Amino acid sequence: MPSLPANPHPRFINRDLSWLAFNDRVLAQAEDDRIPLLERVKFLAIFASNLDEFFMKRVGLVKRRMEDPVRRDRPGPAGLTVDELAPLMRRNVEELQERQAFCWLSEVRPALHEAGVRILSYATLTGDRRDWLDQWYEANVFPILTPLTVDPSHRFPFISNLSENFGVLLTRGEGPHKGERSFARIKIPGVVPRFVRLPRVDDSPKDIELVALDDLIAHNLEKLFPGRTIDQAVPFRVTRSAAIAEDDDDDELDDMLLQVEAELRRRRFAKAVRLETPANAGNDVLEFVTTQLDLGESDVYRRRGPLEYQDLFEIAALPRPDLKHEPWTPVMPPRLAGLGMIDGEEQEPGESIFDRVRTRDVLVHHPYESFEHSAERFIAEAAVDPDVLAIKLTLYRTSPDSPFVSSLIRAAEAGKNVAALVELRARFDEQRNVVFARRLEHAGVHVAYGVVGLKTHCKCLLVVRRERTRGEDGRESVGLRTYAHIGTGNYHPKTAQLYTDLGLFTADPDVTADVVKLFNMLTGGAGGQRYDHLLVAPDAMRSGFCDLIDDEIANAKRGKPSRIVAKMNQLEDKVMTDKLYEASQAGVPIDLIVRGFCCLRPGVPGLSETIRVTSVVGRFLEHSRVVHFAGGSERPEDGLFFIGSADWMYRNLSDRVEAHAPVRDRASRASLWRVLETLLSDQRNAWVQGSDGVYERLEPSKTRSTIGLPDPQCDGAFEALMADAEHRHLDAHVGEMLARRSDRRA
């Protein structure tokens, strides 16, 4: 349970404390003994990864503001100054890290041992086993290690971000400088596995015995310093700030590519904000390191367990399927079943994806439905289709071996007009995107870097195709038709298997005309665009959503059906929060499904009594953004639905190019409502936020409603949505077989 201010702000919850409450919910997955053991290990590593990002981004920002005399005394939206916030953040982090250590040391690690996955201490090994490990160390680790001594002729070495190190205090035992003390730093190499697997001692295929790399190095340090005595050896880990400089003036950038490359170089040497070390670390080493890094006692985090919990990702990846979730294989989206294969540089005979989308919009839900056979196929087919004349794509994050990049290059080499909007400032993916941008430019793709001063975060893909059409008079003509994909997640095949996201394929000329305008703005700087159907930030998304909320307020006052259901990653924007409060006071029922932090206070009498905030954290990362308005209709599928890339945060609505698209197909709207209702019915991984910012985990109840769940025995949204995807896939498969049988009889 998070530590909260003694006197909370009456309208807003602090963003950083709410984020720590979210990571609390992630840690709860690791603590849940109903979850397979290696999945719990994975959540311990995810929790640590999240916390690293929190320190790099949020703690780095708080520390910079503490150095600014103007910002230091200025309260944030929740009424806290940075001096008041910092100790609350630290207290929460310490409490969470102690729970993490208890979970690993007292629950998960012993359970792994019982299951045959044993992490052994080097000190417990004897005889042949220790000899084997020492020989492995000599062959695979010792030559890589580089001890760096600090003395009058050697400066304190640079400590890279998130690196694992040993700080060693040494005393000379002989020679003219006998008795002199010195400090040395050894970096644990990142090119060696973090756990060394010992040879099997029996025939059991399941038994796995491991020794941690840092444990192995610690017991062999003396080999690096012959003739010297090791007085103290302390493992430590440094986190550096990755907070964006608040005084950067994007309007003065001459070359965004060069500026991003320079920013990456600056970040490497950014100020340290955290030093992690074991609870029993020697004070002499710590004092020396903190002094050299200009850190104070409040920046040092002593904790139990591994120095780097992200190393546990290696444990989670072990080949023990009996200790993991049963693998989920995404099903073929029913509306895209039976398409012709794409072979090499052309498509085999058969219906194309464009034939299906032209007939009716296609909505897909990942990872339940295949990303490979929908979004990847869409661009791959466009790249080889001789009737496709142009392809335009926004690229925020993607995989190193991205099929989207390959398809764009193939299309450009085939002579198509190809444009890619590459966002170079995607946090922590900047270097990869710089490489992609240069590759695309070299292949002849028109590469743009977006609108100056704004990040491009929207997920849009546009295809322009030459097609024959038949007019009302029966005459055929050749013209252009545009197809679009608007998504809630990145064009990233790897994360599409781990994150829940939605994608809309449409040939609706009203929607695609707006997507054309959007790309004209992104690549050509054509400002002042007016969009008739898309909600586009920063120009009109906030005001557009506020207008739609106003419509619900008006309907509630007239006694007509009113309802708002909004699903997103986080909610922080004050304007949107105040508008939701206004709607609640008018009696509009509001359900918010917010996975991460939420700065709105639900359930406050006279302010937000009709607002309920739910967070669902489980097997897949809830990443899709969906907004529903009743629009005066009793039936949800007759209401309004939007999907897109934006959370209701100030940065998304004011400082980014975002796009939400209306879902106009009635069957697709019914599918979206089923997704929302299933999440709201979850009794397995759902948490409900109190007005004080504290979350309570829901538990299965005999009296709960099962509306929206395909199987009343399913207590979790993930299981229910998997079942729903399989049912719809099987229904489509049966329908296709019956249709083929009917065709044969005819």
Side-chain angles (χ1 to χ4, degrees):
M1 186 174 297
S3 299
L4 299 170
N7 299 302
H9 191 280
R11 297 174 70 85
F12 301 105
I13 295 168
N14 177 267
R15 165 182 174 162
D16 295 311
L17 298 181
S18 183
W19 186 94
L20 288 169
F22 158 65
N23 215 24
D24 181 332
R25 301 193 292 279
V26 174
L27 181 57
Q29 294 294 112
E31 296 169 323
D32 190 342
D33 60 10
R34 298 173 295 180
I35 294 175
L37 197 51
L38 288 182
E39 305 293 344
R40 296 175 66 188
V41 173
K42 182 181 70 176
F43 274 109
L44 283 170
I46 291 172
F47 169 86
S49 176
N50 288 347
L51 205 56
D52 284 346
E53 187 169 335
F54 179 76
F55 271 88
M56 287 188 285
K57 293 168 66 173
R58 300 305 302 175
V59 175
L61 185 62
V62 166
K63 283 187 169 296
R64 194 167 65 243
R65 288 177 176 172
M66 292 176 78
E67 296 171 357
D68 184 332
V70 176
R71 291 179 176 273
R72 182 164 191 162
D73 296 327
R74 185 187 301 168
L80 294 173
T81 66
V82 289
D83 285 324
E84 294 169 328
L85 175 61
L88 288 171
M89 291 164 63
R90 180 180 173 93
R91 190 186 314 159
N92 277 329
V93 169
E94 289 177 329
E95 292 170 357
L96 289 170
Q97 288 189 152
E98 179 54 33
R99 276 176 47 199
Q100 179 191 34
F102 180 84
C103 179
W104 170 246
L105 296 172
S106 301
E107 297 177 354
V108 173
R109 182 168 169 167
L112 284 173
H113 191 91
E114 290 297 318
V117 178
R118 303 182 182 93
I119 302 170
L120 306 177
S121 167
Y122 178 92
T124 65
L125 299 177
T126 58
D128 292 343
R129 310 199 79 198
R130 178 175 287 194
D131 291 342
W132 181 92
L133 196 57
D134 287 340
Q135 291 172 15
W136 186 92
Y137 169 82
E138 293 284 348
N140 296 280
V141 180
F142 185 73
I144 304 173
L145 298 177
T146 305
L148 298 174
T149 300
V150 179
D151 58 30
S153 61
H154 296 88
R155 299 175 54 190
F156 185 81
F158 173 74
I159 310 294
S160 56
N161 185 40
L162 302 182
S163 63
E164 299 174 63
N165 309 269
F166 279 98
V168 183
L169 279 183
L170 305 159
T171 301
R172 286 192 178 274
E174 56 188 29
H177 301 286
K178 181 179 180 180
E180 284 188 1
R181 301 191 78 191
S182 61
F183 172 88
R185 174 259 189 154
I186 300 98
K187 181 177 180 178
I188 299 176
V191 294
V192 181
R194 297 296 176 167
F195 291 92
V196 183
R197 186 166 179 174
L198 295 170
R200 288 188 186 140
V201 295
D202 54 38
D203 295 328
S204 172
K206 286 188 176 182
D207 282 353
I208 297 172
E209 293 187 327
L210 306 163
V211 174
L213 179 63
D214 56 348
D215 185 22
L216 175 58
I217 293 174
H219 283 87
N220 284 275
L221 283 175
E222 71 281 352
K223 296 176 182 178
L224 293 167
F225 305 103
R228 283 181 281 183
T229 301
I230 296 177
D231 299 324
Q232 281 185 17
V234 175
F236 68 91
R237 183 171 182 264
V238 171
T239 308
R240 293 185 179 274
S241 173
I244 298 171
E246 294 175 328
D247 56 355
D248 280 350
D249 187 354
D250 287 338
D251 292 328
E252 296 181 359
L253 300 182
D254 294 322
D255 189 322
M256 190 177 294
L257 186 61
L258 295 177
Q259 190 272 339
V260 169
E261 291 176 322
E263 174 61 28
L264 288 172
R265 289 191 293 271
R266 288 198 300 270
R267 183 182 297 172
R268 182 170 181 266
F269 298 98
K271 182 177 176 57
V273 295
R274 176 179 59 164
L275 180 73
E276 296 173 277
T277 192
N280 60 351
N283 289 329
D284 292 342
V285 170
L286 282 189
E287 288 177 8
F288 184 80
V289 173
T290 53
T291 300
Q292 295 295 324
L293 294 173
D294 193 25
L295 294 172
E297 181 59 33
S298 64
D299 304 315
V300 178
Y301 287 80
R302 298 172 181 261
R303 55 180 179 76
R304 300 188 298 141
L307 179 64
E308 166 59 284
Y309 273 90
Q310 286 193 65
D311 292 349
L312 297 183
F313 278 122
E314 286 188 17
I315 305 294
L318 287 171
R320 286 291 302 271
D322 56 312
L323 301 180
K324 301 180 183 181
H325 286 304
E326 184 178 346
W328 167 253
T329 301
V331 301
M332 174 70 72
R335 291 269 295 119
L336 300 180
L339 297 178
M341 297 294 293
I342 300 174
D343 183 20
E345 299 297 320
E346 60 183 16
Q347 182 182 347
E348 294 179 356
E351 272 195 296
S352 74
I353 195 169
F354 303 110
D355 295 329
R356 300 289 175 86
V357 175
R358 184 169 59 250
T359 304
R360 202 185 86 199
D361 288 357
V362 176
L363 181 77
V364 290
H365 191 195
H366 314 302
Y368 308 107
E369 295 173 317
S370 172
F371 186 77
E372 177 186 0
H373 293 98
S374 54
E376 289 183 42
R377 183 194 173 101
F378 189 62
I379 193 168
E381 192 171 323
V384 301
D385 186 337
D387 291 323
V388 168
L389 305 180
I391 303 173
K392 303 181 182 183
L393 172 74
T394 60
L395 198 62
Y396 191 75
R397 301 188 199 277
T398 191
S399 59
D401 56 347
S402 172
F404 292 90
V405 173
S406 300
S407 291
L408 290 176
I409 291 173
R410 177 186 293 181
E413 291 174 343
K416 301 183 191 300
N417 190 340
V418 182
L421 192 291
V422 181
E423 180 47 71
L424 297 178
R425 294 162 297 177
R427 190 73 68 89
F428 307 124
D429 274 343
E430 296 96 336
Q431 186 61 57
R432 180 179 296 169
N433 286 1
V434 166
V435 173
F436 283 144
R438 295 200 185 281
R439 266 186 70 194
L440 291 168
E441 286 181 325
H442 183 72
V445 174
H446 302 296
V447 178
Y449 304 120
V451 182
V452 172
L454 302 173
K455 272 190 180 181
T456 302
H457 191 252
C458 56
K459 327 296 183 185
C460 297
L461 172 54
L462 181 73
V463 174
V464 182
R465 196 167 185 265
R466 180 179 50 217
E467 296 184 358
R468 288 187 173 276
T469 58
R470 186 181 297 276
E472 294 181 359
D473 58 1
R475 294 182 179 179
E476 281 194 348
S477 62
V478 176
L480 299 181
R481 189 188 300 272
T482 49
Y483 297 80
H485 171 269
I486 300 101
T488 68
N490 295 301
Y491 294 111
H492 195 308
K494 300 293 191 298
T495 57
Q497 300 175 47
L498 305 173
Y499 298 1
T500 69
D501 272 307
L502 293 156
L504 176 70
F505 298 89
T506 183
D508 183 333
D510 291 338
V511 175
T512 61
D514 274 359
V515 178
V516 170
K517 294 177 187 177
L518 177 61
F519 273 103
N520 288 342
M521 184 267 286
L522 288 172
T523 62
Q529 297 281 3
R530 295 181 61 86
Y531 303 94
D532 297 317
H533 299 278
L534 291 184
L535 296 179
V536 177
D539 295 330
M541 183 177 287
R542 183 187 283 108
S543 60
F545 277 130
C546 284
D547 289 344
L548 290 164
I549 295 173
D550 281 335
D551 291 342
E552 296 303 307
I553 292 172
N555 286 334
K557 290 179 177 178
R558 296 189 191 110
K560 298 176 68 175
S562 63
R563 177 180 54 247
I564 299 170
V565 183
K567 179 182 182 296
M568 62 197 73
N569 296 330
Q570 41 252 344
L571 193 161
E572 165 260 359
D573 187 73
K574 289 183 67 175
V575 173
M576 295 305 302
T577 300
D578 284 335
K579 182 58 68 172
L580 290 170
Y581 287 155
E582 183 183 342
S584 178
Q585 290 164 39
V588 179
I590 301 170
D591 267 298
L592 303 174
I593 307 169
V594 186
R595 183 200 77 224
F597 61 79
C598 178
C599 298
L600 174 148
R601 290 191 180 278
V604 177
L607 178 69
S608 55
E609 291 177 78
T610 67
I611 301 178
R612 182 174 184 258
V613 177
T614 303
S615 172
V616 178
V617 179
R619 177 172 179 178
F620 301 128
L621 182 79
E622 282 297 327
H623 193 252
S624 56
R625 291 93 165 185
V626 188
V627 187
H628 163 68
F629 301 96
S633 301
E634 286 283 359
R635 296 176 64 86
E637 58 267 37
D638 293 330
L640 304 173
F641 285 86
F642 290 83
I643 69 166
S645 55
D647 295 315
W648 285 356
M649 294 179 62
Y650 178 86
R651 72 179 187 190
N652 295 86
L653 302 175
S654 299
D655 295 334
R656 293 184 173 186
V657 179
E658 304 273 15
H660 267 252
V663 179
R664 305 174 79 178
D665 175 67
R666 194 171 189 275
S668 297
R669 294 199 299 263
S671 294
L672 285 176
W673 179 250
R674 189 171 185 80
V675 170
L676 295 177
E677 197 172 34
T678 302
L679 289 165
L680 291 171
S681 301
D682 190 289
Q683 297 281 312
R684 177 66 173 78
N685 292 303
W687 302 69
V688 174
Q689 180 188 354
S691 59
D692 57 359
V694 175
Y695 286 77
E696 179 184 355
R697 190 170 194 167
L698 296 182
E699 297 293 341
S701 163
K702 293 181 181 179
T703 60
R704 71 174 178 86
S705 167
T706 57
I707 294 175
L709 294 178
D711 179 355
Q713 302 305 312
C714 288
D715 293 318
F718 302 101
E719 294 81 359
L721 290 168
M722 286 177 188
D724 184 48
E726 287 181 325
H727 292 165
R728 289 189 293 107
H729 172 65
L730 289 173
D731 288 346
H733 181 64
V734 170
E736 186 182 346
M737 287 197 310
L738 292 175
R740 285 201 299 267
R741 184 180 301 173
S742 176
D743 289 343
R744 285 197 300 270
R745 287 175 177 172

